[in-house]
Amino acid sequence: MASEDIAKLAETLAKAQVAGGQLSFKGKSLKLNTAEDAKDVIKEIEDFDGLEALRLEGNTVGVEAARVIAKALEKKSELKRCHWSDMFTGRLRSEIPPALISLGEGLITAGAQLVELDLSDNAFGPDGVRGFEALLKSPACFTLHELKLNNCGMGIGGGKILAAALTECHRKSSAQGKPLALKVFVAGRNRLENDGATALAEAFGIIGTLEEVYMPQNGINHPGVTALAQAFAINSLLRVINLNDNTFTEKGAVAMAEELNLSFCEIKRDAALAVAEAVADKTELEKLDLNGNTLGEEGCEQLQEVLDGFNMAKVLASLSDDEGEDDEDEDEEAEEEEEEEEEEEEEEEEEEEEEEPQQGGQGEEPATPSRKILDPNSGEPGPVLSSSPPADVSAFLAFPSPEKLLRLGPKSSMLIAQQTDTSDPEKVVSAFLKVASVFKDEASVRAAVQDAVDALMKKAFSSSSFNSNAFLTSLLVHMGLLKSEDKIKAISNLYGPLMALNHMVQQDYFPKALAPLLLAFVTKPNGALESCSFARHNLLQTLYKV
């Protein structure tokens, strides 16, 4: 798809407010105080047949407007998803609970069966939780799969109310033969502290179906972490845990490390052996489950031998369901050997060139040999560098890692920006993705990645010759969010790029005209995006506000 067509597509997508059973008012900055203010919204709801998702983010809804909207929802029994984050901007905290109560009553009356409820970024505090407590306990939430309450200021009291409501929902739904099967729980930045986290841990232990839990920045330390760890052990399907910026201490870390379940994760032999070596000093580890992966018979034996060497063979669970070594392993090993041989040949050529006597007369500068670096994604030679940069910068750009980035020191951002030809959108995309690929929630790495992104993108966007649309088009293609006529292999993990984008779009150098386009593609259904739901959610929240 040509870059000039992107703007037209973005405009079309932006106008398509109704799609796939979804009615969206997101980001319209509507100020709905009275019934009169809400009449257009109500009409669209009433006229929408088969309403399954209602987006009200980025507006502000008062008590009276909420009451009449709720009345319109009473006839919408097919409603499944309520995207209601950031919809009380500028409201008094006392206005929010009655508004939520009205909306909840409308859903209950309709007989709706929700699968997703998002009330993030509504600073309603503990009293706000009371506003949707009845909804959570009702049949409307017996089918709930995703509950998102990020940045709501619930506090300890709100956490306890929420935990009790979820427990009651599970009890009532179980009595009807279909227990609550919550999969995703998001409640970062809520000041839950130990008591709130412990109360929720009890609810999690009862529910037992969680797959993703995000509770960063909640002031939780080891008692709360220990309670959560015990609950997580019961949730056997759990694959994502984010407790970033809480305080584990040794006691909490020990509790969290007592069960490591990596079964059926498509882990290959080398990765499994790396895991075994990583747990060598984890004396508190009680169980290491690597069953159902692709280790092969030889890999299973090697894994047992490694753990035997650490006197930890007893923690290894059965490997009876191992799926055998992946046929692709041999091909990958052959490719890696070829890449290594190519690199060795290039290094030898460079050494030979350096040893050759200088040509030309006295006083002339020696010719600087050009260098080819293999792209770690495609295995193909990367762009030719006209000058020889510091070896550590080249090493990072060739094979990025958090450790290499940190070793570059405080000038890393400047060095990476200098190394990149920012007149070429493709080269900027390549550098951006390499930097973003090493993103980690660890403070030092996160800061280094963000600094590098800032230096690189500020330099690019500030150039009058830089084609911003071409940059975003190429970026979307490489992220697998936009199809291309060229055979370009999309990157497999979008977490780092999404987190880097979330930072970039908030900066002054970012062209705000690109935000609607980016929003349109990040909103579209995509498996890779769904596997990074937390990062995607954060980016979407930011884009709605840009």
Side-chain angles (χ1 to χ4, degrees):
M1 180 178 290
S3 60
E4 56 266 22
D5 295 331
I6 295 298
K8 294 181 180 178
L9 175 58
E11 184 178 356
T12 301
L13 289 169
K15 290 179 179 178
Q17 295 294 312
V18 178
Q22 173 175 285
L23 176 59
S24 177
F25 300 95
K26 65 182 180 183
K28 290 194 171 183
S29 301
L30 301 176
K31 295 182 179 180
L32 308 178
N33 298 316
T34 65
E36 179 66 20
D37 295 335
K39 66 178 183 179
D40 291 339
V41 172
I42 294 167
K43 187 177 187 307
E44 289 198 51
I45 292 174
E46 291 176 339
D47 292 346
F48 196 113
D49 293 329
L51 180 62
E52 295 184 5
L54 178 61
R55 309 197 76 107
L56 293 173
E57 313 101 309
N59 299 291
T60 178
V61 182
V63 176
E64 184 181 337
R67 189 178 301 118
V68 292
I69 291 173
K71 193 69 177 176
L73 292 177
E74 289 181 359
K75 297 179 182 179
K76 301 299 174 181
S77 60
E78 296 179 8
L79 187 60
K80 294 179 174 63
R81 299 182 183 275
C82 296
H83 301 280
W84 294 350
S85 63
D86 187 26
M87 68 174 207
F88 296 112
T89 303
R91 298 289 169 184
L92 296 174
R93 183 172 288 188
S94 60
E95 294 181 85
I96 301 176
L100 288 172
I101 290 172
S102 295
L103 291 169
E105 289 174 348
L107 296 173
I108 295 169
T109 302
Q113 294 185 315
L114 299 183
V115 294
E116 181 178 359
L117 177 61
D118 187 355
L119 292 170
S120 298
D121 295 317
N122 291 310
F124 44 58
D127 291 338
V129 184
R130 292 285 188 197
F132 60 93
E133 178 185 14
L135 174 63
L136 283 180
K137 294 179 179 179
S138 75
C141 286
F142 288 0
T143 51
L144 197 62
H145 287 168
E146 300 183 29
L147 179 59
K148 300 173 181 177
L149 300 166
N150 201 57
N151 191 30
C152 291
M154 292 189 291
I156 295 172
K160 289 182 176 180
I161 297 168
L162 177 61
L166 289 172
T167 301
E168 182 68 2
C169 180
H170 186 272
R171 185 190 69 78
K172 287 182 175 180
S173 58
S174 298
Q176 292 190 7
K178 294 183 179 179
L180 170 67
L182 190 65
K183 296 180 181 180
V184 178
F185 179 83
V186 180
R189 299 178 66 187
N190 271 292
R191 297 177 286 121
L192 295 171
E193 301 183 16
N194 289 327
D195 289 348
T198 299
L200 285 167
E202 293 176 6
F204 296 162
I206 293 169
I207 294 169
T209 56
L210 287 167
E211 297 178 10
E212 302 178 26
V213 175
Y214 304 91
M215 298 174 64
Q217 299 179 18
N218 271 298
I220 307 169
N221 52 41
H222 74 83
V225 171
T226 300
L228 288 170
Q230 294 168 350
F232 293 162
I234 298 170
N235 287 260
S236 59
L237 299 176
L238 193 61
R239 56 187 176 83
V240 178
I241 301 172
N242 185 340
L243 295 176
N244 184 40
D245 288 346
N246 290 295
T247 307
F248 273 45
T249 72
E250 183 178 354
K251 292 180 180 178
V254 167
M256 192 60 70
E258 288 179 351
E259 182 169 320
L260 184 56
N261 187 339
L262 298 173
S263 60
F264 299 93
C265 290
E266 299 183 8
I267 295 174
K268 298 179 182 179
R269 179 184 60 189
D270 291 346
L273 295 177
V275 170
E277 292 174 359
V279 302
D281 58 347
K282 306 298 186 293
T283 57
E284 301 294 330
L285 186 68
E286 295 181 359
K287 181 180 179 182
L288 173 60
D289 191 346
L290 285 163
N291 199 17
N293 290 297
T294 54
L295 311 186
E297 184 176 349
E298 183 179 349
C300 291
E301 292 176 357
Q302 290 177 339
L303 180 63
Q304 186 74 46
E305 290 173 2
V306 169
L307 291 171
D308 274 337
F310 303 141
N311 295 319
M312 295 184 68
K314 63 182 180 180
V315 306
L316 183 63
S318 169
L319 298 173
S320 59
D321 291 326
D322 186 77
E323 297 182 2
E325 192 164 10
D326 196 329
D327 292 337
E328 295 179 359
D329 284 354
E330 294 181 3
D331 295 338
E332 290 178 1
E333 289 176 2
E335 289 178 5
E336 289 175 1
E337 289 176 2
E338 288 180 9
E339 289 181 6
E340 290 175 1
E341 290 175 2
E342 289 178 6
E343 288 176 6
E344 290 174 0
E345 290 176 1
E346 287 169 1
E347 289 175 0
E348 290 174 1
E349 290 175 2
E350 288 169 13
E351 290 175 0
E352 289 174 2
E353 290 175 357
E354 289 174 0
E355 291 172 0
E356 289 179 1
Q358 295 181 13
Q359 301 295 320
Q362 275 189 333
E364 291 185 5
E365 292 291 332
T368 304
S370 62
R371 301 181 61 189
K372 291 183 179 179
I373 298 176
L374 294 180
D375 189 299
N377 294 321
S378 65
E380 298 296 324
V384 176
L385 304 179
S386 59
S387 60
S388 182
D392 48 357
V393 179
S394 298
F396 171 76
L397 291 174
F399 299 98
S401 73
E403 294 74 22
K404 289 178 184 176
L405 180 60
L406 292 178
R407 282 202 297 269
L408 291 176
K411 295 184 178 180
S412 60
S413 58
M414 178 188 69
L415 293 172
I416 292 170
Q418 289 177 344
Q419 177 64 19
T420 306
D421 179 4
T422 51
S423 66
D424 186 337
E426 285 292 334
K427 292 177 181 178
V428 176
V429 168
S430 177
F432 175 85
L433 290 175
K434 287 174 180 178
V435 170
S437 70
V438 306
F439 183 94
K440 291 173 64 176
D441 287 324
E442 181 183 330
S444 58
V445 177
R446 181 174 65 239
V449 168
Q450 291 175 347
D451 287 347
V453 166
D454 285 342
L456 174 67
M457 299 314 305
K458 185 175 183 179
K459 180 183 176 185
F461 286 132
S462 62
S463 171
S464 59
S465 62
F466 185 68
N467 190 330
S468 299
N469 284 332
F471 163 77
L472 190 54
T473 300
S474 176
L475 181 62
L476 291 169
V477 169
H478 283 277
M479 292 176 68
L481 306 182
L482 178 63
K483 291 183 179 180
S484 170
E485 295 177 0
D486 301 324
K487 293 184 178 179
I488 296 176
K489 184 179 180 181
I491 57 178
S492 58
N493 189 346
L494 296 183
Y495 181 77
L498 290 173
M499 296 299 283
L501 280 171
N502 185 50
H503 171 77
M504 182 180 76
V505 299
Q506 298 179 62
Q507 309 310 311
D508 291 338
Y509 60 73
F510 177 73
K512 298 301 184 279
L514 296 181
L517 173 59
L518 184 57
L519 177 62
F521 282 93
V522 177
T523 306
K524 293 171 64 178
N526 181 284
L529 286 174
E530 290 167 7
S531 68
C532 304
S533 58
F534 178 73
R536 180 192 197 183
H537 176 75
N538 280 355
L539 177 56
L540 285 174
Q541 284 187 323
T542 302
L543 287 171
Y544 291 145
K545 299 174 183 177
V546 171

